[in-house]
Amino acid sequence: MTTTARPPAPPVRSHPENRKWVGKSIRRVEDPKFLRGRGGYIADLVRPGTLHAAVLRSPHAHARIVSIDTDAAAALDGVYAVVTGAQAAELTEPLPDFGPDPAKHTWRCLAVDKVRYVGEGVAVVVADDRYLAEDALALIDVDYDPLPPVVDPERALDAGAPLVHEALGSNLAYERTFDFGDVDADFAAADLVVRDRLRWHRSGGQPLETVGAIADFDPSTGQLTAHTNSLSFTSYLFMVANTLRIPANKLDIHQVPAGGSFGSKLFVTKPLVLAAMCSRLVGRPVVYLEDRVDNISNCDHHGSDRVYDVRLAVTRDGRIRGIDIDTVDDYGAYIQFGVGHHGNALAQVTGPYTIDSVRYRVRAALTNKNQQGAYRGFGSEVNNWMLEQMVDKAARELGMDPVQIRRRNFIRPDQFPYFIPTGNVYDSGNYDAVLDQALEIGEYDRWRAEQTQAREEGRYLGVGLIAAQERSVFSATEFWFWFDEPGAPVTSMPESVTLNVDATGGITATLYSCAFWGNSPETMVAQLVAEEFDCDPHDVSIIYHGSQGGLPATGPGGSRTTVMLAGAVEGASAKIKRKARRAASELMEVDPDDLEWFDGGYQVRGVPEQRKTLGDIAIALHLFKHSFPEDVESGLEESQVFDHPYTTMPSADRKDLGVFYPFMGHACHVPVVEVDIATGEVRILAYAAVHDCGTLVNPRSLAGHIVGGTAQGIGTALYEEFVYDDTGQLITSSFLDYSIPTAMEVPHLRIGHVETPSPYTPHGIKGGGEGGRMMAPAALNAAVNDALAPLGVRVTELPMTPDRLRAAIRAAGVVTGGR
Amino acid sequence: MTEELQEITLTVNGRRHVLAVQPRRLLVDVLRDDLGLPGTHIGCEHGVCGTCTVLLDDASVRACITLAVQADGRSVRTVEGLADGMRLHPLQEEFWDKQGLQCGYCTPGMLMRAVEILEQVPDPTPDQVREGIASNLCRCTGYQYIVEAVLAAAPRMRSENPWDPTVPTEAKA
Ligand code: FES
Ligand code: FES
């Protein structure tokens, strides 16, 4: 533990009881349009007359571009422009990059001079339609000079490895070791040091809708109007303007619903920049829509790809004292978010346990692959898996039960708020309660009995059990505390809402960031507004403001949307009510202090028949301003910019990273699997998941996220991998090879909720959008290891494909008949 | 590379259209771009995900790997044909009620597949529904509430009046 003096926590809130709408599984307000096929996704917004762009992708992992001949393509009827990477570099600045030293690994919308991964764009064609654009692509002649590729992240760091970026001088984009607490002392005092080497391969969000953008540049005003299904980080749009060399106040981005993201649409600038560059060049609106191959090979949002060497310091009675983590992460050819994914892991690196010290060494390797971006969990899901693997291994070596070792190390409810060694705080939690419920609904004891029986029959049944964290509401410190210089003040990552009450009392809420990704920001806001104003959530209108002239906003990511929007709604509602109360007092000629809000209006305390509904007040404020004192303006509209409620600065020496992810969810997953040791196939027999995300806003929505996230976690654990072969070829470039779980692979989940309200957020809400995927890979790995325990087999690599399982089983000397 | 246009007749959601299309144009593009029916979505363009599922003469096909000329003279049903004005189809109702959708992108294809399942097996078991919808990928929901929705719609579809007007169709909790 560090002794740094800590800034005070925000005031502890008291949460209202008897909520009417918060906590109800109402039908989502977003859904009718989607059910009717009128979602208004980006592809649906293409108007006649819009030109289509298509990108020529590199077939090589690593090659010098000797020359590009575009003449034949440009001569084709219906083609308006062909732009090579070199020409694009004249038209645009490099893409926004939050990584270390971007000048040493410059990232552009199209490759210049050399290609660094299969799928990297080398030229873009603009044509009357997509068919013609693709015809033209086939006519572009690129002369490549292939270079040796670097594919393995550890070998990429060897001296003499081919360089992905010559300017960097090596493939090590970043390295740092952080020490929190007295790691050496904890290891010296340990009775047992558990070691392991673990491997997590890359997968990705792969939403069914790819990324797209429609750009319309107006040469007469210099204004660029764009629609795109990406771009949260609305507050950082000036960076996109800079890439396009236009003033930020001439860039107006309109958010459209995204057909899924799971992180992979977080701040995707490349399609927008391509479309915008082309639109400015040809003077017409241009749409660029990735196809599936574009998205799989060139989305800039592959997930983590890590090798771990870990040591765990444990006492004989099962107490975990310290953890020493050494990881190499394969970032691919660029590193747009730096090692923010490891910052994310540091938010909850010690899990739900009272581990005293942490050493964290990260090396970011560059290779000839598509770069990492965001995928549900943003790197902390990998940490969850690593930690739970280590805890299980410790239990095995100590002869302890997996339940027992976890209970032994849990942070107790009376220890919150609890600062973990890295300096982040966990606001609240009740881990035993979650575990108890998971054991119950997961029928843990019954499955243990079945397992004994199955083993007697020679079947390999395994029960997994993991207890892990789900941090929520990021403050972005995780992206920059890695660098001592330049120091930056703490980032507040705001979110804004405007509430407008029209003359009839109808309420419209305006949101300022791209918020719909399949989560339900509109339903959440509608429920929260309904809670404040006692109306029906389905009667609340929700609109989105474009970026131009919009209030500060960040958008979804890091399970922040619900909490941040709740804060903004709360603030805007309070302002509306303040004005409404004053207006009501004027209308009824009573003292404002004598009024109370009740059932959709203000009434005189103790005299319920003397009241004005919100509608009464609103019409007066809209039409009869002169009935009010001088300083009351017409209308009833208020905004609130809500800033991160609890984040603090890291210490200068970085021995304490400050508070940056304080609202800590928790979950326990209990899957039961059967492994066919002859084929390596894993069948899930049962699955229970209990989550604690604080106060629930819409239990059915959250349950949907838990099931959906778990389904993705099942993919991560068993099926999904972007496989690059030794030559750097991506051999999983379609859904035929990149296997997303179908309804046959995802079992029926039993779901439980525990609600430990956050003391620091409106209603006590914590974020909950990522939890399923943050738990399932660890849980399934635990289950498979439990199944194979009698054979002495432990699987330490994900995904656990049949060939990997068979290899592990064979390596243990198990003969299964046949080959 | 401009190809000769070919005249085709498509009956889409009961309405006849005579169109001139390039033989290489995909059914999904003709539905979306030529007929202004954007409800049929594109997920993979490889015939894998089922996002583009429509019913062609009552059998589901993947409109991303079907040429429009292959549908000449045939009838196509898309998600736009499900609701009756303001009133949602019972399957749409149940998808809404059970939250059988999140981002909504797979939903039109999933709904059309569900229509086909219930036309073929009016009283399916949960396993039959699961196996049935395994033709279509959904990246958001994990399928559980889609299965629930289809199972809930089945008895309504079998009933005398599946569109029972007493069932609320407007937005109410
Ligand atoms: S888009 Fe047609 S099957 Fe995927
Ligand atoms: S609801 Fe998003 S893909 Fe199914």
Side-chain angles (χ1 to χ4, degrees):
Chain A
M1 287 288 174
T2 150
T3 53
T4 321
R6 296 198 166 95
V12 170
R13 290 159 166 269
S14 63
H15 302 303
E17 285 174 25
N18 305 325
R19 285 180 283 254
K20 238 192 244 169
W21 294 107
V22 170
K24 250 193 163 173
S25 294
I26 66 160
R27 292 175 169 192
R28 301 193 324 163
V29 305
E30 293 90 345
D31 288 350
K33 61 179 180 287
F34 298 122
L35 289 163
R36 289 170 181 269
R38 297 179 54 160
Y41 301 98
I42 186 70
D44 306 346
L45 304 181
V46 180
R47 295 225 179 90
T50 304
L51 304 179
H52 288 249
V55 169
L56 184 68
R57 297 178 290 258
S58 165
H60 295 283
H62 196 189
R64 208 154 290 289
I65 300 169
V66 180
S67 64
I68 306 184
D69 182 349
T70 59
D71 291 352
L76 195 67
D77 283 343
V79 169
Y80 288 70
V82 184
V83 183
T84 65
Q87 291 162 334
E90 310 255 296
L91 297 169
T92 60
E93 299 296 316
L95 293 166
D97 188 331
F98 300 86
D101 236 339
K104 293 192 172 148
H105 32 80
T106 308
W107 176 40
R108 293 185 170 277
C109 62
L110 295 171
V112 186
D113 300 333
K114 77 172 193 173
V115 289
R116 296 181 169 86
Y117 58 92
V118 169
E120 185 165 23
V122 293
V124 59
V125 167
V126 186
D128 272 324
D129 66 30
R130 178 79 187 211
Y131 290 80
L132 282 172
E134 292 193 19
D135 288 343
L137 291 184
L139 298 175
I140 299 176
D141 192 10
V142 187
D143 185 10
Y144 293 101
D145 180 11
L147 298 165
V150 27
V151 182
D152 180 83
E154 289 178 298
R155 273 192 286 177
L157 301 182
D158 290 346
L163 294 180
V164 180
H165 293 271
E166 285 76 8
L168 186 62
S170 85
N171 294 318
L172 183 64
Y174 183 83
E175 172 174 14
R176 181 140 189 180
T177 304
F178 281 132
D179 258 35
F180 307 101
D182 196 343
V183 184
D184 292 328
D186 281 333
F187 273 85
D191 298 317
L192 173 71
V193 174
V194 182
R195 291 162 206 275
D196 215 340
R197 186 176 159 83
L198 305 167
R199 184 74 174 93
W200 170 291
H201 291 278
R202 60 174 56 204
S203 53
Q206 287 301 305
L208 288 187
E209 183 209 39
T210 59
V211 182
I214 303 170
D216 189 359
F217 182 78
D218 182 345
S220 50
T221 58
Q223 163 101 3
L224 181 80
T225 306
H227 288 76
T228 177
N229 54 5
S230 170
L231 291 186
S232 48
F233 286 19
T234 314
S235 313
Y236 292 83
L237 287 184
F238 62 88
M239 299 175 85
V240 181
N242 178 61
T243 296
L244 291 169
R245 297 188 190 138
I246 57 174
N249 65 350
K250 298 270 185 185
L251 173 64
D252 192 14
I253 296 186
H254 294 265
Q255 45 286 96
V256 294
S261 164
F262 321 109
S264 79
K265 285 178 181 145
L266 182 87
F267 207 65
V268 187
T269 50
K270 202 157 67 185
L272 171 65
V273 166
L274 283 168
M277 174 184 79
C278 293
S279 172
R280 187 167 47 183
L281 192 66
V282 303
R284 292 269 298 266
V286 172
V287 57
Y288 173 59
L289 289 175
E290 295 175 336
D291 65 16
R292 182 54 52 188
V293 181
D294 285 325
N295 188 263
I296 288 187
S297 66
N298 193 18
C299 63
D300 301 308
H301 279 275
H302 282 191
S304 297
D305 190 352
R306 298 184 188 171
V307 185
Y308 279 103
D309 285 293
V310 192
R311 298 189 307 143
L312 202 63
V314 192
T315 63
R316 203 166 295 113
D317 61 351
R319 173 145 151 56
I320 307 166
R321 306 274 313 254
I323 186 164
D324 176 3
I325 300 161
D326 184 349
T327 183
V328 174
D329 203 337
D330 182 346
Y331 270 86
Y334 301 94
I335 182 164
Q336 60 180 332
F337 295 132
V339 291
H341 314 82
H342 294 271
N344 206 298
L346 286 167
Q348 55 178 51
V349 64
T350 46
Y353 310 120
T354 54
I355 300 174
D356 294 327
S357 63
V358 178
R359 177 166 299 146
Y360 199 98
R361 178 188 190 208
V362 56
R363 280 172 290 167
L366 297 186
T367 61
N368 294 114
K369 299 176 188 168
N370 185 23
Q371 72 175 325
Q372 283 192 26
Y375 185 22
R376 216 170 191 174
F378 206 73
S380 59
E381 80 285 20
V382 195
N383 191 87
N384 280 355
W385 163 77
M386 174 274 294
L387 181 61
E388 290 301 281
Q389 275 268 41
M390 296 306 292
V391 171
D392 270 350
K393 191 171 191 203
R396 217 185 255 199
E397 292 186 18
L398 290 166
M400 276 177 95
D401 179 84
V403 176
Q404 194 191 357
I405 192 167
R406 287 178 170 82
R407 288 207 201 272
R408 174 86 184 78
N409 288 282
F410 274 164
I411 300 162
R412 295 185 318 273
D414 61 4
Q415 290 176 286
F416 295 99
Y418 184 89
F419 286 86
I420 67 166
T422 65
N424 192 37
V425 75
Y426 296 175
D427 61 338
S428 60
N430 188 345
Y431 304 150
D432 278 308
V434 174
L435 177 56
D436 289 342
Q437 199 185 130
L439 295 176
E440 191 195 318
I441 69 171
E443 301 178 292
Y444 187 79
D445 293 334
R446 181 172 81 73
W447 281 111
R448 282 285 178 220
E450 293 236 2
Q451 179 180 42
T452 310
Q453 168 93 33
R455 281 183 180 163
E456 280 164 17
E457 295 163 7
R459 287 161 53 215
Y460 293 86
L461 207 103
V463 185
L465 180 134
I466 62 107
Q469 304 302 80
E470 182 189 6
R471 82 287 172 279
S472 73
V473 193
F474 78 99
S475 74
T477 324
E478 67 196 291
F479 293 101
W480 57 259
F481 57 47
W482 301 97
F483 313 115
D484 298 322
E485 297 292 335
V490 75
T491 21
S492 75
M493 307 310 270
E495 203 62 52
S496 305
V497 166
T498 299
L499 294 181
N500 176 291
V501 184
D502 68 21
T504 70
I507 302 175
T508 299
T510 304
L511 313 185
Y512 292 89
S513 58
C514 112
F516 184 85
W517 278 0
N519 51 345
S520 27
E522 297 163 41
T523 303
M524 297 303 154
V525 166
Q527 284 185 263
L528 291 157
V529 167
E531 190 68 51
E532 294 279 355
F533 294 100
D534 308 311
C535 56
D536 185 323
H538 292 278
D539 293 337
V540 178
S541 278
I542 312 279
I543 56 178
Y544 293 94
H545 196 289
S547 66
Q548 197 168 33
L551 293 174
T554 303
S559 294
R560 67 190 296 285
T561 310
T562 304
V563 170
M564 296 302 288
L565 286 175
V569 168
E570 179 188 61
S573 300
K575 292 179 189 173
I576 294 266
K577 282 187 175 167
R578 202 172 309 142
K579 184 167 178 183
R581 174 193 286 263
R582 179 157 174 225
S585 83
E586 297 287 345
L587 292 172
M588 291 188 276
E589 296 177 353
V590 293
D591 190 293
D593 291 341
D594 291 340
L595 295 176
E596 63 179 353
W597 178 267
F598 184 80
D599 196 22
Y602 275 108
Q603 62 191 37
V604 178
R605 230 179 285 274
V607 197
E609 52 299 346
Q610 210 181 332
R611 64 179 265 120
K612 293 282 176 197
T613 65
L614 188 62
D616 300 335
I617 300 166
I619 195 157
L621 279 171
H622 274 273
L623 302 185
F624 312 118
K625 184 246 129 61
H626 292 305
S627 321
F628 295 102
E630 196 59 24
D631 63 320
V632 176
E633 289 177 20
S634 280
L636 188 50
E637 175 176 298
E638 300 286 353
S639 297
Q640 178 72 40
V641 182
F642 185 69
D643 290 297
H644 196 293
Y646 189 9
T647 179
T648 66
M649 277 296 281
S651 66
D653 62 5
R654 299 294 191 262
K655 292 214 167 298
D656 183 306
L657 302 175
V659 173
F660 59 102
Y661 243 133
F663 312 128
M664 193 55 65
H666 177 77
C668 182
H669 279 210
V670 182
V672 182
V673 302
E674 180 162 354
V675 182
D676 180 336
I677 64 162
T679 63
E681 192 201 340
V682 177
R683 217 153 50 84
I684 302 173
L685 306 181
Y687 203 117
V690 178
H691 285 240
D692 182 352
C693 308
T695 302
L696 295 173
V697 181
N698 185 318
R700 178 47 73 117
S701 290
L702 181 70
H705 282 297
I706 292 170
V707 186
T710 299
Q712 286 185 319
I714 289 169
T716 305
L718 298 173
Y719 310 112
E720 293 179 35
E721 181 178 350
F722 296 121
V723 181
Y724 287 88
D725 71 10
D726 293 343
T727 67
Q729 276 303 323
L730 175 61
I731 58 176
T732 52
S733 59
S734 80
F735 284 162
L736 283 169
D737 313 299
Y738 185 86
S739 317
I740 288 174
T742 74
M744 296 303 282
E745 282 82 44
V746 183
H748 179 90
L749 256 64
R750 291 188 181 190
I751 294 165
H753 300 292
V754 169
E755 292 183 72
T756 311
S758 171
Y760 307 126
T761 66
H763 298 288
I765 302 166
K766 302 177 187 179
E770 298 169 273
R773 182 168 181 272
M774 290 172 73
M775 310 298 152
L780 285 161
N781 199 162
V784 167
N785 284 346
D786 188 56
L788 299 178
L791 302 175
V793 173
R794 250 183 99 248
V795 182
T796 54
E797 191 169 357
L798 294 190
M800 299 176 284
T801 52
D803 52 323
R804 283 204 180 106
L805 282 193
R806 284 290 302 137
I809 292 164
R810 263 197 308 272
V814 181
V815 182
T816 55
R819 293 163 297 265
Chain B
M1 255 174 256
T2 346
E3 300 176 42
E4 289 288 303
L5 297 182
Q6 192 169 322
E7 191 177 288
I8 58 169
T9 305
L10 295 184
T11 304
V12 181
N13 300 327
R15 182 177 289 273
R16 243 171 69 101
H17 301 269
V18 181
L19 301 157
V21 299
Q22 284 183 10
R24 67 173 178 173
R25 272 179 75 78
L26 297 167
L27 178 59
V28 68
D29 290 332
V30 168
L31 291 171
R32 291 179 55 86
D33 302 339
D34 301 5
L35 297 179
L37 297 171
T40 304
H41 300 153
I42 299 173
C44 69
E45 295 174 86
H46 297 132
V48 188
C49 70
T51 303
C52 60
T53 302
V54 297
L55 300 182
L56 185 61
D57 288 344
D58 301 333
S60 60
V61 297
R62 308 200 160 202
C64 76
I65 50 167
T66 304
L67 296 170
V69 291
Q70 290 177 286
D72 184 19
R74 303 171 71 180
S75 87
V76 182
R77 277 190 282 166
T78 73
V79 70
E80 285 91 347
L82 289 183
D84 177 11
M86 284 301 287
R87 287 169 53 206
L88 294 176
H89 185 279
L91 268 164
Q92 290 171 312
E93 271 281 331
E94 296 301 337
F95 266 62
W96 191 13
D97 195 61
K98 305 295 180 290
Q99 294 199 14
L101 68 159
Q102 285 176 30
C103 80
Y105 202 72
C106 72
T107 309
M110 209 49 106
L111 283 167
M112 297 320 288
R113 175 66 181 131
V115 167
E116 183 185 35
I117 292 170
L118 294 185
E119 283 175 358
Q120 291 174 351
V121 190
D123 189 9
T125 64
D127 281 348
Q128 283 174 315
V129 173
R130 260 193 190 274
E131 202 174 331
I133 62 163
S135 54
N136 289 40
L137 294 178
C138 172
R139 193 54 161 161
C140 297
T141 63
Y143 310 102
Q144 188 154 324
Y145 300 139
I146 295 178
V147 174
E148 262 188 33
V150 177
L151 288 169
R156 286 183 62 181
M157 295 299 292
R158 288 197 308 275
S159 73
E160 286 285 286
N161 182 9
W163 295 73
D164 183 351
T166 62
V167 178
T169 54
E170 277 317 297
K172 287 295 162 205

